[in-house]
Amino acid sequence: MKFDTPAGQNPIDRLAVVGQPIERIDGRLKTTGRAPYAYERHDMVDDPAIGVVVGAAIAKGRIGGIDLAAARASPGVLAIVTADTAGTLQKGKHNTARLLGGPEIEHYHQAVALVVARTFEQARAAAMLVKVRYEAAPGRFDLAAQRDSAPLTGDEGHEKGPLVERVGAFEPAFDAAPVTLDATYRTPDQSHAMMEPHASMAAWDGDRLTVWTSNQMIDWGRSDLAKTLGIPKDKVRLVSPFIGGGFGGKLFLRSDALLAALGARAAGRPVKVALTRPLMFNNTTHRPATIQRIRIGATQDGRITAIAHESWSGDLPDGGPETAVGQTKLLYAGDNRMTAMRLAVLDLPEGNAMRAPGEAPGLMALEIAMDEMAEKLGLDPIRFRALNDTQVDPAKPGRRFSQRRLVDCLEDGAKRFGWARRAAQPGQRREGHLLIGMGVASAFRNSMVMTSGARVRLDRAGLVTVETDMTDIGTGSYTIIAQTAAEMMGISVEQVNVRLGDSAFPVSSGSGGQWGGNSSTAGVYAACVRLRDAVAQRLGLDPAQAVFQDGAVQAGGRSVPLHQAAESGEIVAEDSISFGGLSKRFQQSTFGAHFVELSVDGFTGEIRVRRMLAVCASGRILNPRTARSQVIGAMTMGVGGALMEALAVDRTRGYFVNHDLAGYEVPVHADIPHQEVVFLDDPDPTSSPMKAKGVGELGLCGVGAAVANAVYNATGIRVRDYPITLDKMLDRLPRIA
């Protein structure tokens, strides 16, 4: 099914099931420990062995030799895999570095060996006996030191299209503007730090491989695993029914899955591999640090006439940039514009997608700059943003946003949050030794869509089973897919069985980029349209007139129970949805506003967030309960990014020092206050038959800047270098009487 026009008579629009705050249907399994994750699939294989990864102890150089004698002689050892014994391995499409190093080492903790033993303790003990002789080489580990020499780059790290994107003439317009800002902002390297580690279990049956793994994009992972091993794709099966968080860190094939497959082949039995926390931080991907320069010129009345955003980030050779300038191309009006990115080669672990890549760090800079300009102009920050709203793509005025309610989000949030009580002058509101401030930031995230397929089955009992390789990374995919099928077939959610995360099922959009909910449910919609037609024809009814409701099919004055259609045998239908030229005709984005109130201790500089509000305009909300959960989780992540999260780079040895959850700080319950989430009624008929968009990443975009702006409002201290820690404030705190 190709979708590029607004839906007509759409069963989803009844909203009997879709749009309702139904509990997550997988929730009880997870809270009672009955949801089996990849490492726990004991029911699928007999007596699996355990593999422990040995990571490189240098960041750059080569292996001069490996002594495996002591490890091989250690009790319980079944096999040891190295680059010398693994056979020819190719590089997958989505991998920047090789997943098994040797002899060349590309980054610290790159896997160089896997030790397989009967028990974890035996494998770990033997892994410590592997002796690797390294020949270290000088590396580049400091983005700031590489800033001046970093070349321009395109969106994916390749030279395609203009490397400096221009509209109008930025430099003359900026020089002529009566009010200007020229400021530099910095965001640090950050880690996904999801609860479930990267973990896999692999088993071979002849030349056929099955891998149970924690992966967000089943088809990508399957394709890359087959390519890496040099075997046909149809010989590989990936299974990920439950995933304990991903945040983009599990979008791509990682070393745990590859090494489990190699270990199982070498040992001749199933093998389980889980990365330790230090390996998760240094062996997998992270959000790269950025240096961002923003220049804005405006008239005295607050109209932006010139805006430029330049960003520097780093990655391994053949890697890509953190696309931090993306939102600046679309968020505010202005006739004269310039954006550019520069990519330094760094020998740190791979930089790649982490929740809202591009917009999350980009808005951490842009939305501080907007507040700084508002202050220069003597305008309320919300008023300044509203003045520069646009309903068209500023670079392509002929292409409108399909829907854009940014100003509604800002104004609605201002009323709900009590923005009128905010002191315009910083440092004016105090409660004893506490300084109180409010901050706001716009939220923006593009709404991407991906081709997505599904298979649906109707059985004799009237139960509908949905099969798709879509994944649920804690986002509620099981639930909204069940709601979609229930709405389409006129039954209750309890009559729908959802099967996810198996490459044996039709290829879906997968979970990533905020496209999963809208795209995957639209694919289920398409399959259900096929099933409705087949059911009506089996019952001798006109498919164009058939109404599916209350467990029955009605047409031409007849009403037949749904299950009767399958009495002569199960009915199976399969289809997928694609979106044609939708993106060429409309700019599809999601919008919101984040509000934060916090206190700063006037003596210690300690920051405590008091309350938060997010107002979101992001299409039809398919399930307000699961969507709210996504947004408050993202808001929490935004607080972490603003106040505490940063990977400390050892610029001598080239690794992340605080590579565990003791040293890498993330927010805990005590750090997070009351959070309110408001969804505007905003169904978008151009986005898909579901009229939905993404929301899980929108909840993060802008939060960091809202916190930073609140800190400034409380103290008068402008911090442009995240995270906002005490050392950046203590010597500048206002005097407390």
Side-chain angles (χ1 to χ4, degrees), residues 32-86:
T32 58
R34 291 181 292 130
Y37 292 84
Y39 202 78
E40 303 169 333
R41 297 308 301 262
H42 310 296
D43 57 321
M44 305 306 296
V45 299
D46 294 325
D47 195 22
I50 307 298
V52 168
V53 177
V54 178
I58 62 170
K60 184 74 172 176
R62 59 185 290 113
I63 294 173
I66 303 181
D67 182 355
L68 302 176
R72 285 196 176 114
S74 188
V77 171
L78 302 172
I80 301 177
V81 177
T82 68
D84 291 334
T85 63

Side-chain angles (χ1 to χ4, degrees), residues 10-207:
N10 188 341
I12 297 295
D13 290 341
R14 292 181 305 175
L15 300 180
V17 186
V18 168
Q20 303 305 312
I22 293 171
E23 289 184 359
R24 282 176 55 167
I25 60 177
D26 57 321
R28 293 183 185 275
L29 291 175
K30 290 180 175 177
T31 55
T32 58
R34 291 181 292 130
Y37 292 84
Y39 202 78
E40 303 169 333
R41 297 308 301 262
H42 310 296
D43 57 321
M44 305 306 296
V45 299
D46 294 325
D47 195 22
I50 307 298
V52 168
V53 177
V54 178
I58 62 170
K60 184 74 172 176
R62 59 185 290 113
I63 294 173
I66 303 181
D67 182 355
L68 302 176
R72 285 196 176 114
S74 188
V77 171
L78 302 172
I80 301 177
V81 177
T82 68
D84 291 334
T85 63
T88 301
L89 298 177
Q90 301 180 55
K91 187 189 291 187
K93 176 182 177 182
H94 297 99
N95 296 125
T96 299
R98 288 170 298 126
L99 299 179
L100 178 59
E104 300 298 324
I105 299 299
E106 297 166 282
H107 63 84
Y108 185 82
H109 264 177
Q110 184 174 22
V112 297
L114 179 78
V115 178
V116 180
R118 291 186 173 85
T119 69
F120 170 72
E121 290 78 10
Q122 290 172 332
R124 181 177 60 180
M128 297 176 69
L129 298 176
V130 173
K131 304 300 181 185
V132 184
R133 179 168 55 84
Y134 296 102
E135 298 170 359
R140 293 157 291 188
F141 312 124
D142 187 347
L143 176 61
Q146 301 298 318
R147 175 179 176 175
D148 293 342
S149 60
L152 289 162
T153 184
D155 281 1
E156 301 299 328
H158 306 291
E159 296 185 8
K160 58 180 183 180
L163 298 184
V164 179
E165 296 189 35
R166 294 182 178 276
V167 177
F170 167 74
E171 285 83 359
F174 180 76
D175 292 340
V179 183
T180 62
L181 170 77
D182 185 345
T184 298
Y185 307 85
R186 291 172 173 81
T187 64
D189 298 285
Q190 295 177 338
S191 175
H192 303 83
M194 72 291 289
M195 290 181 67
E196 182 198 16
H198 294 75
S200 298
M201 181 171 68
W204 291 84
D205 182 6
D207 62 350

Side-chain angles (χ1 to χ4, degrees), residues 583-623:
S583 63
K584 296 180 180 178
R585 294 191 295 112
F586 293 103
Q587 173 59 45
Q588 292 202 302
S589 304
T590 60
F591 298 89
H594 287 292
F595 293 82
V596 171
E597 181 181 82
L598 52 73
S599 67
V600 180
D601 190 298
F603 295 118
T604 67
E606 180 184 17
I607 300 168
R608 286 289 180 183
V609 178
R610 290 186 162 193
R611 58 191 181 101
M612 305 176 72
L613 166 66
V615 181
C616 304
S618 50
R620 170 178 284 156
I621 300 301
L622 302 178
N623 184 319

